[in-house]
mmCIF file of all heavy atoms in Angstrom:
data_model
loop_
_atom_site.group_PDB
_atom_site.id
_atom_site.type_symbol
_atom_site.label_atom_id
_atom_site.label_comp_id
_atom_site.label_asym_id
_atom_site.label_seq_id
_atom_site.Cartn_x
_atom_site.Cartn_y
_atom_site.Cartn_z
ATOM 1 N N PRO I 152 222.693 -95.459 -76.003
ATOM 2 C CA PRO I 152 222.087 -96.780 -75.754
ATOM 3 C C PRO I 152 221.063 -97.200 -76.780
ATOM 4 O O PRO I 152 220.896 -98.366 -77.065
ATOM 5 C CB PRO I 152 221.417 -96.563 -74.394
ATOM 6 C CG PRO I 152 221.215 -95.128 -74.248
ATOM 7 C CD PRO I 152 222.322 -94.500 -74.984
ATOM 8 N N ARG I 155 221.963 -99.462 -79.831
ATOM 9 C CA ARG I 155 222.450 -100.817 -79.621
ATOM 10 C C ARG I 155 221.522 -101.803 -80.370
ATOM 11 O O ARG I 155 221.973 -102.851 -80.871
ATOM 12 C CB ARG I 155 222.398 -101.196 -78.152
ATOM 13 C CG ARG I 155 223.551 -100.615 -77.352
ATOM 14 C CD ARG I 155 223.208 -100.709 -75.869
ATOM 15 N NE ARG I 155 222.906 -102.070 -75.482
ATOM 16 C CZ ARG I 155 223.795 -102.890 -74.917
ATOM 17 N NH1 ARG I 155 225.037 -102.470 -74.699
ATOM 18 N NH2 ARG I 155 223.501 -104.102 -74.596
ATOM 19 N N ASP I 159 211.762 -101.564 -83.178
ATOM 20 C CA ASP I 159 210.813 -101.024 -82.155
ATOM 21 C C ASP I 159 211.487 -100.516 -80.910
ATOM 22 O O ASP I 159 210.937 -99.758 -80.189
ATOM 23 C CB ASP I 159 209.825 -102.137 -81.770
ATOM 24 C CG ASP I 159 209.014 -102.581 -82.945
ATOM 25 O OD1 ASP I 159 208.828 -101.742 -83.833
ATOM 26 O OD2 ASP I 159 208.672 -103.776 -83.077
ATOM 27 N N TYR I 160 212.718 -100.999 -80.650
ATOM 28 C CA TYR I 160 213.333 -100.614 -79.340
ATOM 29 C C TYR I 160 213.732 -99.131 -79.348
ATOM 30 O O TYR I 160 213.704 -98.527 -78.295
ATOM 31 C CB TYR I 160 214.472 -101.498 -79.004
ATOM 32 C CG TYR I 160 213.989 -102.804 -78.419
ATOM 33 C CD1 TYR I 160 213.662 -103.870 -79.245
ATOM 34 C CD2 TYR I 160 213.700 -102.901 -77.083
ATOM 35 C CE1 TYR I 160 213.116 -105.045 -78.715
ATOM 36 C CE2 TYR I 160 213.162 -104.073 -76.567
ATOM 37 C CZ TYR I 160 212.893 -105.153 -77.366
ATOM 38 O OH TYR I 160 212.311 -106.226 -76.881
ATOM 39 N N LEU I 166 210.372 -93.204 -76.277
ATOM 40 C CA LEU I 166 209.140 -93.055 -75.448
ATOM 41 C C LEU I 166 209.479 -92.889 -73.989
ATOM 42 O O LEU I 166 209.005 -91.958 -73.338
ATOM 43 C CB LEU I 166 208.307 -94.307 -75.674
ATOM 44 C CG LEU I 166 207.183 -94.589 -74.631
ATOM 45 C CD1 LEU I 166 206.025 -93.671 -74.971
ATOM 46 C CD2 LEU I 166 206.711 -96.045 -74.791
ATOM 47 N N MET I 170 208.928 -89.583 -71.364
ATOM 48 C CA MET I 170 208.240 -89.678 -70.089
ATOM 49 C C MET I 170 209.150 -89.254 -68.946
ATOM 50 O O MET I 170 208.726 -88.618 -67.983
ATOM 51 C CB MET I 170 207.847 -91.137 -69.852
ATOM 52 C CG MET I 170 206.843 -91.668 -70.807
ATOM 53 S SD MET I 170 205.235 -90.957 -70.505
ATOM 54 C CE MET I 170 204.213 -92.128 -71.314
ATOM 55 N N ILE I 171 210.421 -89.642 -69.046
ATOM 56 C CA ILE I 171 211.386 -89.310 -68.006
ATOM 57 C C ILE I 171 211.593 -87.778 -67.932
ATOM 58 O O ILE I 171 211.587 -87.195 -66.847
ATOM 59 C CB ILE I 171 212.723 -90.011 -68.216
ATOM 60 C CG1 ILE I 171 212.517 -91.487 -67.873
ATOM 61 C CG2 ILE I 171 213.802 -89.406 -67.359
ATOM 62 C CD1 ILE I 171 213.711 -92.343 -68.167
ATOM 63 N N SER I 174 208.331 -86.286 -66.369
ATOM 64 C CA SER I 174 208.091 -86.443 -64.948
ATOM 65 C C SER I 174 209.320 -85.930 -64.161
ATOM 66 O O SER I 174 209.164 -85.496 -63.004
ATOM 67 C CB SER I 174 207.702 -87.866 -64.525
ATOM 68 O OG SER I 174 208.600 -88.770 -64.985
ATOM 69 N N ASN I 178 209.224 -83.021 -61.149
ATOM 70 C CA ASN I 178 209.774 -83.223 -59.813
ATOM 71 C C ASN I 178 210.816 -82.185 -59.483
ATOM 72 O O ASN I 178 211.296 -82.163 -58.330
ATOM 73 C CB ASN I 178 210.326 -84.618 -59.656
ATOM 74 C CG ASN I 178 209.237 -85.647 -59.475
ATOM 75 O OD1 ASN I 178 208.512 -85.599 -58.474
ATOM 76 N ND2 ASN I 178 209.045 -86.505 -60.431
ATOM 77 N N LEU I 276 203.383 -87.159 -74.488
ATOM 78 C CA LEU I 276 203.433 -87.894 -75.735
ATOM 79 C C LEU I 276 202.471 -87.447 -76.767
ATOM 80 O O LEU I 276 202.687 -87.660 -77.972
ATOM 81 C CB LEU I 276 203.145 -89.389 -75.437
ATOM 82 C CG LEU I 276 204.425 -90.053 -74.952
ATOM 83 C CD1 LEU I 276 204.135 -91.352 -74.336
ATOM 84 C CD2 LEU I 276 205.376 -90.231 -76.113
ATOM 85 N N LEU I 277 201.396 -86.746 -76.315
ATOM 86 C CA LEU I 277 200.456 -86.251 -77.331
ATOM 87 C C LEU I 277 201.177 -85.252 -78.278
ATOM 88 O O LEU I 277 200.900 -85.243 -79.453
ATOM 89 C CB LEU I 277 199.330 -85.470 -76.580
ATOM 90 C CG LEU I 277 197.975 -85.569 -77.249
ATOM 91 C CD1 LEU I 277 197.540 -87.003 -77.396
ATOM 92 C CD2 LEU I 277 196.937 -84.790 -76.409
ATOM 93 N N TYR I 287 203.857 -87.955 -91.142
ATOM 94 C CA TYR I 287 203.308 -89.042 -91.959
ATOM 95 C C TYR I 287 202.224 -88.558 -92.802
ATOM 96 O O TYR I 287 201.923 -89.111 -93.872
ATOM 97 C CB TYR I 287 202.940 -90.210 -91.077
ATOM 98 C CG TYR I 287 204.157 -90.910 -90.560
ATOM 99 C CD1 TYR I 287 204.746 -90.528 -89.383
ATOM 100 C CD2 TYR I 287 204.801 -91.885 -91.322
ATOM 101 C CE1 TYR I 287 205.884 -91.125 -88.906
ATOM 102 C CE2 TYR I 287 205.949 -92.475 -90.861
ATOM 103 C CZ TYR I 287 206.501 -92.078 -89.691
ATOM 104 O OH TYR I 287 207.697 -92.668 -89.305
ATOM 105 N N MET I 319 188.578 -83.282 -82.173
ATOM 106 C CA MET I 319 189.585 -84.259 -81.873
ATOM 107 C C MET I 319 189.109 -85.693 -82.172
ATOM 108 O O MET I 319 189.820 -86.674 -81.980
ATOM 109 C CB MET I 319 190.156 -84.139 -80.453
ATOM 110 C CG MET I 319 191.027 -82.925 -80.276
ATOM 111 S SD MET I 319 192.241 -82.653 -81.583
ATOM 112 C CE MET I 319 193.385 -84.021 -81.197
ATOM 113 N N VAL I 320 187.780 -85.801 -82.464
ATOM 114 C CA VAL I 320 187.299 -87.086 -82.874
ATOM 115 C C VAL I 320 187.525 -87.261 -84.371
ATOM 116 O O VAL I 320 187.926 -88.283 -84.903
ATOM 117 C CB VAL I 320 185.777 -87.260 -82.585
ATOM 118 C CG1 VAL I 320 185.271 -88.612 -82.987
ATOM 119 C CG2 VAL I 320 185.557 -87.070 -81.095
ATOM 120 N N PRO I 323 191.699 -87.687 -85.679
ATOM 121 C CA PRO I 323 192.293 -89.047 -85.734
ATOM 122 C C PRO I 323 191.646 -89.876 -86.755
ATOM 123 O O PRO I 323 192.288 -90.740 -87.445
ATOM 124 C CB PRO I 323 192.019 -89.591 -84.332
ATOM 125 C CG PRO I 323 191.780 -88.432 -83.451
ATOM 126 C CD PRO I 323 191.179 -87.386 -84.311
ATOM 127 N N MET I 330 195.895 -93.186 -93.664
ATOM 128 C CA MET I 330 196.868 -94.298 -93.580
ATOM 129 C C MET I 330 196.357 -95.477 -94.362
ATOM 130 O O MET I 330 197.117 -96.201 -94.995
ATOM 131 C CB MET I 330 197.093 -94.716 -92.146
ATOM 132 C CG MET I 330 198.003 -93.824 -91.375
ATOM 133 S SD MET I 330 199.677 -93.940 -92.096
ATOM 134 C CE MET I 330 200.112 -92.271 -92.202
ATOM 135 N N ILE I 331 195.005 -95.710 -94.360
ATOM 136 C CA ILE I 331 194.473 -96.869 -95.052
ATOM 137 C C ILE I 331 194.536 -96.663 -96.574
ATOM 138 O O ILE I 331 194.937 -97.549 -97.308
ATOM 139 C CB ILE I 331 193.037 -97.157 -94.592
ATOM 140 C CG1 ILE I 331 193.087 -97.646 -93.135
ATOM 141 C CG2 ILE I 331 192.386 -98.219 -95.454
ATOM 142 C CD1 ILE I 331 191.720 -97.795 -92.506
ATOM 143 N N VAL I 371 210.158 -97.664 -98.958
ATOM 144 C CA VAL I 371 209.474 -97.578 -97.688
ATOM 145 C C VAL I 371 209.311 -98.910 -97.029
ATOM 146 O O VAL I 371 209.588 -99.087 -95.872
ATOM 147 C CB VAL I 371 208.098 -96.873 -97.846
ATOM 148 C CG1 VAL I 371 207.405 -96.782 -96.527
ATOM 149 C CG2 VAL I 371 208.272 -95.501 -98.409
ATOM 150 N N THR I 375 211.040 -100.309 -93.395
ATOM 151 C CA THR I 375 210.323 -100.534 -92.172
ATOM 152 C C THR I 375 209.701 -101.906 -92.199
ATOM 153 O O THR I 375 208.898 -102.242 -91.368
ATOM 154 C CB THR I 375 209.220 -99.464 -92.104
ATOM 155 O OG1 THR I 375 208.484 -99.523 -93.283
ATOM 156 C CG2 THR I 375 209.763 -98.092 -91.836
ATOM 157 N N SER I 378 209.679 -107.848 -89.961
ATOM 158 C CA SER I 378 210.910 -108.417 -89.433
ATOM 159 C C SER I 378 210.872 -109.906 -89.562
ATOM 160 O O SER I 378 211.851 -110.584 -89.272
ATOM 161 C CB SER I 378 211.042 -108.026 -88.013
ATOM 162 O OG SER I 378 209.934 -108.399 -87.252
ATOM 163 N N THR I 379 209.748 -110.461 -89.914
ATOM 164 C CA THR I 379 209.687 -111.921 -90.046
ATOM 165 C C THR I 379 210.165 -112.378 -91.388
ATOM 166 O O THR I 379 209.958 -111.757 -92.384
ATOM 167 C CB THR I 379 208.210 -112.435 -89.859
ATOM 168 O OG1 THR I 379 207.381 -111.574 -90.607
ATOM 169 C CG2 THR I 379 207.861 -112.445 -88.423
ATOM 170 N N TYR B 57 201.494 -108.302 -80.415
ATOM 171 C CA TYR B 57 202.855 -108.159 -80.934
ATOM 172 C C TYR B 57 203.390 -109.522 -81.328
ATOM 173 O O TYR B 57 204.065 -109.650 -82.383
ATOM 174 C CB TYR B 57 203.792 -107.556 -79.827
ATOM 175 C CG TYR B 57 205.126 -107.173 -80.362
ATOM 176 C CD1 TYR B 57 205.316 -105.924 -80.955
ATOM 177 C CD2 TYR B 57 206.175 -108.111 -80.443
ATOM 178 C CE1 TYR B 57 206.556 -105.564 -81.486
ATOM 179 C CE2 TYR B 57 207.393 -107.767 -80.999
ATOM 180 C CZ TYR B 57 207.601 -106.513 -81.541
ATOM 181 O OH TYR B 57 208.781 -106.152 -82.105
ATOM 182 N N GLN B 61 203.685 -108.601 -84.909
ATOM 183 C CA GLN B 61 204.859 -107.735 -84.682
ATOM 184 C C GLN B 61 204.395 -106.250 -84.808
ATOM 185 O O GLN B 61 205.036 -105.417 -85.364
ATOM 186 C CB GLN B 61 205.944 -107.981 -85.711
ATOM 187 C CG GLN B 61 206.853 -109.136 -85.370
ATOM 188 C CD GLN B 61 206.192 -110.391 -85.719
ATOM 189 O OE1 GLN B 61 205.696 -110.600 -86.786
ATOM 190 N NE2 GLN B 61 206.081 -111.331 -84.758
ATOM 191 N N LEU B 110 188.601 -103.162 -89.428
ATOM 192 C CA LEU B 110 188.424 -101.925 -90.211
ATOM 193 C C LEU B 110 189.732 -101.142 -90.363
ATOM 194 O O LEU B 110 190.008 -100.611 -91.463
ATOM 195 C CB LEU B 110 187.386 -101.016 -89.554
ATOM 196 C CG LEU B 110 185.979 -101.561 -89.509
ATOM 197 C CD1 LEU B 110 185.055 -100.550 -88.809
ATOM 198 C CD2 LEU B 110 185.451 -101.819 -90.914
ATOM 199 N N LEU B 115 195.974 -102.696 -93.612
ATOM 200 C CA LEU B 115 197.391 -102.244 -93.575
ATOM 201 C C LEU B 115 198.314 -103.388 -93.345
ATOM 202 O O LEU B 115 199.462 -103.167 -93.072
ATOM 203 C CB LEU B 115 197.543 -101.176 -92.484
ATOM 204 C CG LEU B 115 196.949 -99.812 -92.808
ATOM 205 C CD1 LEU B 115 196.915 -98.974 -91.571
ATOM 206 C CD2 LEU B 115 197.778 -99.191 -93.893
ATOM 207 N N PRO B 119 203.781 -100.817 -94.911
ATOM 208 C CA PRO B 119 204.893 -100.657 -93.990
ATOM 209 C C PRO B 119 204.400 -100.647 -92.528
ATOM 210 O O PRO B 119 203.279 -100.178 -92.263
ATOM 211 C CB PRO B 119 205.467 -99.274 -94.320
ATOM 212 C CG PRO B 119 204.945 -98.961 -95.681
ATOM 213 C CD PRO B 119 203.749 -99.803 -95.959
ATOM 214 N N ARG B 120 205.192 -101.220 -91.635
ATOM 215 C CA ARG B 120 204.742 -101.384 -90.258
ATOM 216 C C ARG B 120 204.517 -100.004 -89.604
ATOM 217 O O ARG B 120 203.685 -99.875 -88.732
ATOM 218 C CB ARG B 120 205.787 -102.113 -89.466
ATOM 219 C CG ARG B 120 205.726 -103.580 -89.741
ATOM 220 C CD ARG B 120 206.833 -104.277 -89.011
ATOM 221 N NE ARG B 120 206.789 -104.027 -87.579
ATOM 222 C CZ ARG B 120 207.878 -103.980 -86.820
ATOM 223 N NH1 ARG B 120 209.075 -104.127 -87.325
ATOM 224 N NH2 ARG B 120 207.764 -103.792 -85.519
ATOM 225 N N VAL B 121 205.268 -99.002 -90.072
ATOM 226 C CA VAL B 121 205.082 -97.667 -89.470
ATOM 227 C C VAL B 121 203.644 -97.181 -89.687
ATOM 228 O O VAL B 121 203.063 -96.576 -88.796
ATOM 229 C CB VAL B 121 206.123 -96.694 -90.099
ATOM 230 C CG1 VAL B 121 205.837 -95.312 -89.601
ATOM 231 C CG2 VAL B 121 207.504 -97.104 -89.634
ATOM 232 N N ILE B 125 201.167 -95.784 -86.762
ATOM 233 C CA ILE B 125 200.530 -94.461 -86.778
ATOM 234 C C ILE B 125 198.991 -94.653 -86.725
ATOM 235 O O ILE B 125 198.282 -93.923 -85.977
ATOM 236 C CB ILE B 125 200.896 -93.691 -88.075
ATOM 237 C CG1 ILE B 125 202.386 -93.488 -88.166
ATOM 238 C CG2 ILE B 125 200.154 -92.398 -88.185
ATOM 239 C CD1 ILE B 125 202.883 -92.388 -87.303
ATOM 240 N N THR B 126 198.503 -95.663 -87.438
ATOM 241 C CA THR B 126 197.082 -95.910 -87.402
ATOM 242 C C THR B 126 196.628 -96.275 -86.003
ATOM 243 O O THR B 126 195.584 -95.779 -85.564
ATOM 244 C CB THR B 126 196.746 -97.111 -88.364
ATOM 245 O OG1 THR B 126 197.277 -96.778 -89.647
ATOM 246 C CG2 THR B 126 195.254 -97.263 -88.469
ATOM 247 N N GLY B 129 196.347 -93.252 -84.020
ATOM 248 C CA GLY B 129 195.140 -92.549 -84.460
ATOM 249 C C GLY B 129 193.892 -93.161 -83.835
ATOM 250 O O GLY B 129 193.015 -92.476 -83.341
ATOM 251 N N LEU B 132 193.638 -92.203 -80.137
ATOM 252 C CA LEU B 132 193.159 -90.846 -80.002
ATOM 253 C C LEU B 132 191.685 -90.769 -80.293
ATOM 254 O O LEU B 132 190.893 -90.052 -79.624
ATOM 255 C CB LEU B 132 193.908 -89.872 -80.938
ATOM 256 C CG LEU B 132 195.312 -89.526 -80.532
ATOM 257 C CD1 LEU B 132 195.943 -88.718 -81.627
ATOM 258 C CD2 LEU B 132 195.305 -88.718 -79.277
ATOM 259 N N PHE B 133 191.268 -91.512 -81.331
ATOM 260 C CA PHE B 133 189.839 -91.479 -81.731
ATOM 261 C C PHE B 133 188.967 -92.000 -80.607
ATOM 262 O O PHE B 133 187.962 -91.368 -80.202
ATOM 263 C CB PHE B 133 189.669 -92.347 -82.996
ATOM 264 C CG PHE B 133 188.238 -92.570 -83.381
ATOM 265 C CD1 PHE B 133 187.517 -91.529 -83.931
ATOM 266 C CD2 PHE B 133 187.655 -93.777 -83.173
ATOM 267 C CE1 PHE B 133 186.155 -91.729 -84.272
ATOM 268 C CE2 PHE B 133 186.317 -94.008 -83.499
ATOM 269 C CZ PHE B 133 185.596 -92.957 -84.095
ATOM 270 N N ASN B 136 188.881 -89.490 -77.599
ATOM 271 C CA ASN B 136 188.125 -88.252 -77.825
ATOM 272 C C ASN B 136 186.646 -88.529 -78.104
ATOM 273 O O ASN B 136 185.807 -87.717 -77.828
ATOM 274 C CB ASN B 136 188.786 -87.459 -78.929
ATOM 275 C CG ASN B 136 190.111 -86.919 -78.488
ATOM 276 O OD1 ASN B 136 190.177 -86.204 -77.496
ATOM 277 N ND2 ASN B 136 191.172 -87.283 -79.160
ATOM 278 N N TRP B 251 200.336 -96.961 -71.256
ATOM 279 C CA TRP B 251 201.825 -96.909 -71.458
ATOM 280 C C TRP B 251 202.535 -97.777 -70.429
ATOM 281 O O TRP B 251 203.548 -98.473 -70.738
ATOM 282 C CB TRP B 251 202.320 -95.507 -71.365
ATOM 283 C CG TRP B 251 201.947 -94.580 -72.508
ATOM 284 C CD1 TRP B 251 201.189 -93.459 -72.405
ATOM 285 C CD2 TRP B 251 202.306 -94.723 -73.876
ATOM 286 N NE1 TRP B 251 201.038 -92.883 -73.659
ATOM 287 C CE2 TRP B 251 201.709 -93.629 -74.586
ATOM 288 C CE3 TRP B 251 203.044 -95.672 -74.613
ATOM 289 C CZ2 TRP B 251 201.848 -93.472 -75.941
ATOM 290 C CZ3 TRP B 251 203.195 -95.491 -75.945
ATOM 291 C CH2 TRP B 251 202.597 -94.405 -76.601
ATOM 292 N N THR B 289 205.331 -88.433 -56.324
ATOM 293 C CA THR B 289 205.404 -87.957 -57.668
ATOM 294 C C THR B 289 206.486 -88.651 -58.465
ATOM 295 O O THR B 289 206.568 -88.519 -59.644
ATOM 296 C CB THR B 289 205.666 -86.415 -57.709
ATOM 297 O OG1 THR B 289 206.750 -86.174 -56.828
ATOM 298 C CG2 THR B 289 204.469 -85.643 -57.308
ATOM 299 N N LEU B 293 208.598 -91.504 -62.878
ATOM 300 C CA LEU B 293 210.048 -91.345 -63.175
ATOM 301 C C LEU B 293 210.776 -92.694 -62.988
ATOM 302 O O LEU B 293 211.491 -93.132 -63.893
ATOM 303 C CB LEU B 293 210.625 -90.289 -62.254
ATOM 304 C CG LEU B 293 211.981 -89.722 -62.566
ATOM 305 C CD1 LEU B 293 211.894 -89.038 -63.908
ATOM 306 C CD2 LEU B 293 212.395 -88.755 -61.533
ATOM 307 N N PHE B 296 209.819 -95.413 -65.625
ATOM 308 C CA PHE B 296 210.377 -95.301 -66.967
ATOM 309 C C PHE B 296 211.910 -95.447 -66.926
ATOM 310 O O PHE B 296 212.494 -95.966 -67.870
ATOM 311 C CB PHE B 296 209.980 -93.984 -67.624
ATOM 312 C CG PHE B 296 208.546 -93.993 -68.035
ATOM 313 C CD1 PHE B 296 207.555 -93.405 -67.300
ATOM 314 C CD2 PHE B 296 208.166 -94.714 -69.188
ATOM 315 C CE1 PHE B 296 206.216 -93.433 -67.640
ATOM 316 C CE2 PHE B 296 206.819 -94.748 -69.560
ATOM 317 C CZ PHE B 296 205.885 -94.146 -68.777
ATOM 318 N N LEU B 299 212.588 -99.020 -67.033
ATOM 319 C CA LEU B 299 212.498 -99.517 -68.420
ATOM 320 C C LEU B 299 213.770 -99.197 -69.214
ATOM 321 O O LEU B 299 214.342 -100.117 -69.878
ATOM 322 C CB LEU B 299 211.311 -98.802 -69.101
ATOM 323 C CG LEU B 299 211.228 -99.035 -70.589
ATOM 324 C CD1 LEU B 299 210.772 -100.435 -70.873
ATOM 325 C CD2 LEU B 299 210.311 -98.026 -71.231
ATOM 326 N N LEU B 303 216.320 -101.991 -70.694
ATOM 327 C CA LEU B 303 216.529 -102.124 -72.135
ATOM 328 C C LEU B 303 217.995 -102.043 -72.526
ATOM 329 O O LEU B 303 218.406 -102.698 -73.452
ATOM 330 C CB LEU B 303 215.751 -101.024 -72.850
ATOM 331 C CG LEU B 303 214.283 -101.295 -73.076
ATOM 332 C CD1 LEU B 303 213.638 -100.144 -73.831
ATOM 333 C CD2 LEU B 303 214.069 -102.598 -73.789
ATOM 334 N N VAL B 304 218.690 -101.260 -71.732
ATOM 335 C CA VAL B 304 220.142 -101.185 -72.069
ATOM 336 C C VAL B 304 220.840 -102.513 -71.660
ATOM 337 O O VAL B 304 221.679 -103.014 -72.425
ATOM 338 C CB VAL B 304 220.766 -99.982 -71.314
ATOM 339 C CG1 VAL B 304 222.282 -100.026 -71.475
ATOM 340 C CG2 VAL B 304 220.275 -98.685 -71.868
ATOM 341 N N PRO B 307 218.083 -106.001 -73.913
ATOM 342 C CA PRO B 307 217.169 -105.391 -74.867
ATOM 343 C C PRO B 307 215.960 -106.229 -75.195
ATOM 344 O O PRO B 307 215.012 -105.745 -75.731
ATOM 345 C CB PRO B 307 218.074 -105.233 -76.077
ATOM 346 C CG PRO B 307 219.435 -105.299 -75.603
ATOM 347 C CD PRO B 307 219.432 -106.143 -74.370
ATOM 348 N N VAL B 317 216.124 -108.650 -86.305
ATOM 349 C CA VAL B 317 215.283 -107.485 -86.579
ATOM 350 C C VAL B 317 215.105 -107.305 -88.092
ATOM 351 O O VAL B 317 214.119 -106.803 -88.552
ATOM 352 C CB VAL B 317 215.933 -106.226 -85.977
ATOM 353 C CG1 VAL B 317 214.918 -105.111 -85.887
ATOM 354 C CG2 VAL B 317 216.434 -106.515 -84.616
#
Side-chain angles (χ1 to χ4, degrees):
Chain I
R155 283 165 55 98
D159 298 330
Y160 281 89
L166 163 76
M170 296 286 199
I171 287 175
S174 53
N178 283 296
L276 277 166
L277 211 58
Y287 289 89
M319 288 315 288
V320 181
M330 280 295 133
I331 292 175
V371 177
T375 52
S378 56
T379 42
Chain B
Y57 190 89
Q61 278 79 52
L110 295 179
L115 287 169
R120 283 175 57 213
V121 172
I125 301 281
T126 306
L132 285 175
F133 172 73
N136 291 303
W251 289 117
T289 46
L293 194 62
F296 288 101
L299 170 74
L303 278 181
V304 172
V317 197

